[in-house]
């Protein structure tokens, strides 16, 4: 019987010895790999160290610096900051002129948030339950398209659109609705001489720019609502409004809160749109810019900056109490 000679095969150990890099690589990585495998806590600490350092040093560090600056004293005679601690900056926020700035900014932030919900919720509902794939893609592009352009470009473009002789005035004139526009612009706290110098125009620009931040979270929340629940509600005799109030709105409410956090906080801190569109009158962002950039009163600017932080904290506490984060 013919016997075949066994093929000469190299063992794994001998194969690794043939590689010029394997021996040194194994010598460096193997002990480290064994150590990380055996100590899960060390592995987790190494993974979380960079983001925790970023959060602790950059975010909390800057926040603490901000709070520290707000407690310093500004010498108006010398136009310089001294290290003397004081609470006068926070007390000064209650002065009628400063309180008016806070309330004006807060009112616009609430109005913009409600406007974004009113416009964004029907759009998100249609995208989630009725739009075909091609339509959904179109809506996604349409919603995201404003975010592809520069923020400054969009704000300046709206100043042209809202001005007298602009596209909006021309369109309303063709529809014979200029009388309605003038009647709206005559309303106190809403109108102004023109759309470009009115709170209505400022509201339109804010709503346009922040709307994508509201539509996308609501759309994601509505997509998680099972259609069977809506059909069952209708089968049991509920009206469309009852289905919306009892089923859809409570289940989509976390998405509304998530979107409103963006629109509310972004409006509170914005300082470009109030300078370009709307009537005279400072907002929190423009007041901070004026105090720090023009006057040099950094402590008072820091105190003003704490106002949106406090308002957002109160807003999140209310949302948490309403159970908005339970379904996130």
């Amino acid at each position: 019987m013919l016997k075949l000679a066994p093929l000469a095969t190299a063992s794994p150990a001998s194969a690794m010895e043939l590689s010029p890099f394997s021996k040194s690589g194994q010598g460096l990585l193997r002990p480290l790999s064994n150590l990380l495998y055996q100590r899960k806590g060390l592995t987790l600490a190494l993974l979380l160290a960079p983001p925790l350092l970023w959060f602790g040093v950059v975010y909390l560090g800057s926040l603490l610096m901000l709070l520290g600056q707000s407690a310093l004293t500004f010498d108006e005679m010398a136009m310089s900051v001294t290290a003397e601690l004081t609470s006068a900056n926070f007390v000064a926020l209650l002065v009628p002129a400063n309180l008016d700035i806070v309330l004006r900014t807060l009112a616009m932030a609430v109005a913009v948030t409600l406007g974004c919900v009113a416009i964004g919720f029907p759009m998100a509902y249609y995208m989630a339950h009725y739009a075909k794939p091609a339509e959904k893609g179109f809506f996604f592009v349409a919603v995201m398209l404003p975010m592809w352009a520069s923020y400054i470009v969009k704000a300046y473009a709206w100043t042209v659109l809202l001005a007298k002789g602009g596209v909006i005035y021309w369109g309303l004139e063709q529809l014979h609705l200029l009388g309605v526009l003038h009647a709206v612009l005559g309303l106190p706290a809403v109108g102004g001489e023109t759309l470009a110098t009115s709170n209505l125009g400022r509201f339109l620009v804010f709503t346009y720019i922040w709307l994508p931040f509201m539509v996308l979270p609501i759309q994601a929340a509505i997509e998680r609502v099972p259609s069977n629940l809506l059909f069952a509600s209708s089968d049991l005799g509920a009206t469309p409004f009852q289905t919306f109030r009892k089923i859809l709105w409570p289940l989509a409410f976390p998405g509304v809160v998530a979107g409103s956090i963006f629109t509310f906080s972004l409006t509170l801190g914005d300082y470009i749109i109030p300078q370009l569109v709307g009537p005279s009158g400072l907002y929190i962002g423009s007041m901070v810019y004026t105090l720090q950039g023009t006057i040099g009163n950094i402590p008072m600017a820091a105190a003003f900056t704490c106002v949106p932080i406090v308002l957002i904290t109160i807003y999140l506490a209310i949302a948490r109490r309403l159970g908005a984060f339970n379904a996130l």
Side-chain angles (χ1 to χ4, degrees), residues 6-94:
L7 295 174
T9 58
S11 64
S14 60
M16 294 179 66
E17 291 176 359
L18 295 175
S19 173
F21 303 101
S22 58
K23 191 170 184 178
S24 59
Q26 184 183 23
L28 293 175
L29 297 178
R30 180 65 67 180
L32 179 61
S33 176
N34 292 337
L35 178 64
L36 295 177
Y37 180 77
Q38 294 171 356
R39 298 189 177 185
K40 305 295 184 184
L42 178 61
T43 305
L44 184 62
L46 291 176
L47 290 174
L48 292 180
L52 288 178
L53 282 175
W54 173 267
F55 180 78
V57 176
V58 177
Y59 181 74
L60 291 182
S62 60
L63 186 61
L64 292 176
M65 286 291 293
L66 175 71
L67 294 175
Q69 291 277 352
S70 64
L72 299 180
T73 301
F74 180 72
D75 190 344
E76 295 183 355
M77 298 297 294
M79 299 295 286
S80 62
V81 179
T82 61
E84 183 181 354
L85 299 180
T86 179
S87 60
N89 298 317
F90 292 100
V91 176
L93 292 175
L94 302 177

Side-chain angles (χ1 to χ4, degrees), residues 6-7 58 61 78 93 97 112 125 140 168 194 216 221 228 258 261 284 288 308 314 325:
L7 295 174
V58 177
L93 292 175
V112 170
Y125 180 75
F140 271 118
I168 294 179
T194 66
L216 298 180
N228 294 338
I261 292 172
I284 291 178
V288 170
I314 296 173
F325 301 132

Side-chain angles (χ1 to χ4, degrees), residues 43-324:
T43 305
L44 184 62
L46 291 176
L47 290 174
L48 292 180
L52 288 178
L53 282 175
W54 173 267
F55 180 78
V57 176
V58 177
Y59 181 74
L60 291 182
S62 60
L63 186 61
L64 292 176
M65 286 291 293
L66 175 71
L67 294 175
Q69 291 277 352
S70 64
L72 299 180
T73 301
F74 180 72
D75 190 344
E76 295 183 355
M77 298 297 294
M79 299 295 286
S80 62
V81 179
T82 61
E84 183 181 354
L85 299 180
T86 179
S87 60
N89 298 317
F90 292 100
V91 176
L93 292 175
L94 302 177
V95 172
N98 294 332
L99 192 59
D100 183 58
I101 294 173
V102 174
L103 294 178
R104 183 185 303 125
T105 310
L106 179 62
M108 181 57 72
V110 172
V112 170
T113 300
L114 294 177
C116 288
V117 173
I119 298 173
F121 199 97
M123 187 185 302
Y125 180 75
Y126 182 82
M127 291 169 62
H129 283 283
Y130 291 102
K132 297 177 181 177
E135 289 179 314
K136 188 175 291 188
F138 169 78
F139 272 102
F140 271 118
V141 172
V143 170
M144 299 291 292
L145 191 60
M147 302 176 69
W148 298 352
S150 168
Y151 171 84
I152 299 293
V153 172
K154 289 183 291 185
Y156 270 108
W158 271 99
T159 61
V160 178
L161 293 174
L162 295 174
K164 272 189 175 179
V167 175
I168 294 179
Y169 270 88
W170 176 84
L172 292 175
E173 184 179 5
Q174 300 303 313
L175 297 173
H176 305 286
L177 293 176
L178 276 181
V180 177
L181 175 62
H182 291 152
V184 173
L185 293 179
L187 296 175
V190 175
E193 293 185 1
T194 66
L195 266 177
T197 59
S198 66
N199 282 317
L200 176 61
R202 183 177 287 163
F203 166 80
L204 291 176
V205 179
F206 269 128
T207 304
Y208 164 78
I209 291 182
W210 304 142
L211 185 61
F213 296 93
M214 179 65 78
V215 173
L216 298 180
I218 295 178
Q219 191 267 340
I222 292 178
E223 278 201 339
R224 291 197 295 267
V225 178
S227 301
N228 294 338
L229 289 179
L230 305 179
F231 295 144
S233 176
S234 301
D235 291 341
L236 292 175
T239 63
F241 180 71
Q242 288 175 326
T243 301
F244 170 78
R245 188 167 60 90
K246 298 288 187 180
I247 306 295
L248 183 60
W249 178 258
L251 294 177
F253 189 60
V256 176
V257 172
S260 64
I261 292 172
F262 290 108
T263 58
F264 187 73
S265 60
L266 290 172
T267 306
L268 283 179
D270 193 270
Y271 74 98
I272 293 178
I273 293 176
Q275 289 185 333
L276 297 179
V277 182
S280 59
L282 295 173
Y283 275 44
I284 291 178
S286 52
M287 186 62 178
V288 170
Y289 178 78
T290 302
L291 287 171
Q292 183 175 0
T294 304
I295 304 175
N297 190 349
I298 296 178
M300 193 63 202
F304 259 105
T305 310
C306 293
V307 174
I309 298 175
V310 174
L311 293 177
I312 289 293
T313 304
I314 296 173
Y315 179 74
L316 293 179
I318 295 174
R320 185 174 181 275
R321 191 174 182 83
L322 293 175

